[in-house]
Amino acid sequence: MKRLTLDEKIGQMIMSRAYGYYYSTEGDEFHRLSHLVSEHKFGGLIFFQGDVDETAILTNRLQEMSDIPLLIASDFEWGAAMRIRRSTRFPEAMAIGATRDTLLAYQTGLVIAEESRAIGVSQVFAPVADVNVNPENPVINTRSFGENPQLVADMAAAFASGLQAGGVLATAKHFPGHGDTQTDSHLDLPVINVSRGRMDSVELFPYRKLFERGLGSVMIGHLVVPAVDQRKIPSTLSPLIIGNLLQTSLGFKGLIVTDAMDMGALVNGFGSDSVAVKAVEAGVDMLLVLPDEDAAVAAIATAVRSGRIPEDRID
């Protein structure tokens, strides 16, 4: 901490997009990744595609180049095969939920963790803890363990426990709950129009069990939740949702990450540099896939130097 500059400390809070393919050391993509890792000192990478061997080789090369160990992540909701070719594909969450077998969910998480570590991935953006109460949900659907809050809580907690027993950081998503929506946040900003009481009994129910079981990380969804924050801003940017609800009311003390910051829910209505600053102010620890990473680092650094964000928040 003492030898990192302010910009480098901010870089540690950013996770950039990566693909696990073969790259020549003279190629543009390898230059981009090496620049982020060795010069910007970005904290991590999230793999969206790749092949098994090439992903493992690339993560090793980049870890060797990095002054600080990289946090490598991916969305292995139904196994590494969701992103990485020639790895194991498991059934989606709803099929596992249909078995009502929490041991099966635990063992699935354990095997996914083993394959993740074998290719260099140490954080898995799963389980999906959304309760799929809206049958017209275009984005969650079978990614959820089901429509019953108790079932989702039991299965998600078992799955997360398997991941963490296998040595990777489990990340429940999409807080505070993406199950009751007819809008895909990749395209636009969903509004969750439910009462606070309904949220306690449905959306937030699985998270309480996950937190009791020692969940390491939570991903914040890009959702407007008027029952918690009437300003109609995305939960990613809301201190009422992250600071008050997640950290204070629910007592979560782990790592808080955003959903991808280049999704339509954010970029259609907010500037990329300003959302980075607002997300950090709200309580986010890791910013994923920013549209303009250099501008975001500069904007957060300016906010720190002006006193808007205390530097000990970055630390």
Side-chain angles (χ1 to χ4, degrees), residues 12 14-15 43-47 63 70-77 83 112-113 116-117 119-127 163-164 166-173 215-220 252 254-258 285-288:
Q12 284 295 301
I14 295 175
M15 191 171 276
L45 298 168
I46 170 173
F47 279 92
Q63 290 286 15
L70 295 166
L71 184 59
I72 307 289
S74 197
D75 294 292
F76 293 166
E77 296 170 20
R83 294 290 187 239
I112 292 172
S116 301
R117 291 187 55 163
I119 57 177
V121 171
S122 50
Q123 180 171 14
V124 170
F125 294 139
L163 285 173
Q164 295 192 164
V168 303
L169 187 63
T171 306
K173 59 187 185 185
L215 178 76
S217 179
V218 164
M219 177 183 286
I220 309 296
F252 182 68
L255 185 73
I256 299 172
V257 305
T258 69
D285 301 311
M286 288 291 288
L287 304 161
L288 269 60

Side-chain angles (χ1 to χ4, degrees), residues 22 26 64 78 94-95 142 153 160 175 190 205 208 258 292 296:
Y22 169 77
E26 302 303 315
E64 288 171 0
W78 35 267
M94 194 171 284
T142 57
F175 188 88
F205 189 89
R208 289 192 175 89
T258 69
D292 188 334

Side-chain angles (χ1 to χ4, degrees), residues 19-99:
Y19 298 89
Y21 297 120
Y22 169 77
Y23 298 112
S24 163
T25 54
E26 302 303 315
D28 291 343
E29 180 62 9
F30 188 78
H31 276 295
R32 181 186 76 86
L33 292 172
S34 61
H35 173 69
L36 295 179
V37 167
S38 57
E39 295 178 39
H40 272 323
K41 290 185 167 57
F42 277 12
L45 298 168
I46 170 173
F47 279 92
F48 281 85
Q49 292 177 12
D51 214 332
V52 170
D53 295 335
E54 284 77 4
T55 302
I57 292 166
L58 183 60
T59 56
N60 282 341
R61 290 170 74 187
L62 294 172
Q63 290 286 15
E64 288 171 0
M65 296 169 60
S66 180
D67 183 39
I68 300 169
L70 295 166
L71 184 59
I72 307 289
S74 197
D75 294 292
F76 293 166
E77 296 170 20
W78 35 267
M82 182 169 172
R83 294 290 187 239
I84 307 299
R85 294 185 303 183
R86 294 191 295 169
S87 52
T88 305
R89 191 203 198 288
F90 289 87
E92 293 188 38
M94 194 171 284
I96 296 174
T99 70

Side-chain angles (χ1 to χ4, degrees), residues 288-311:
L288 269 60
V289 195
L290 289 154
D292 188 334
E293 292 159 336
D294 289 340
V297 171
I300 296 169
T302 297
V304 172
R305 293 186 180 106
S306 70
R308 179 176 172 181
I309 297 175
E311 189 163 357

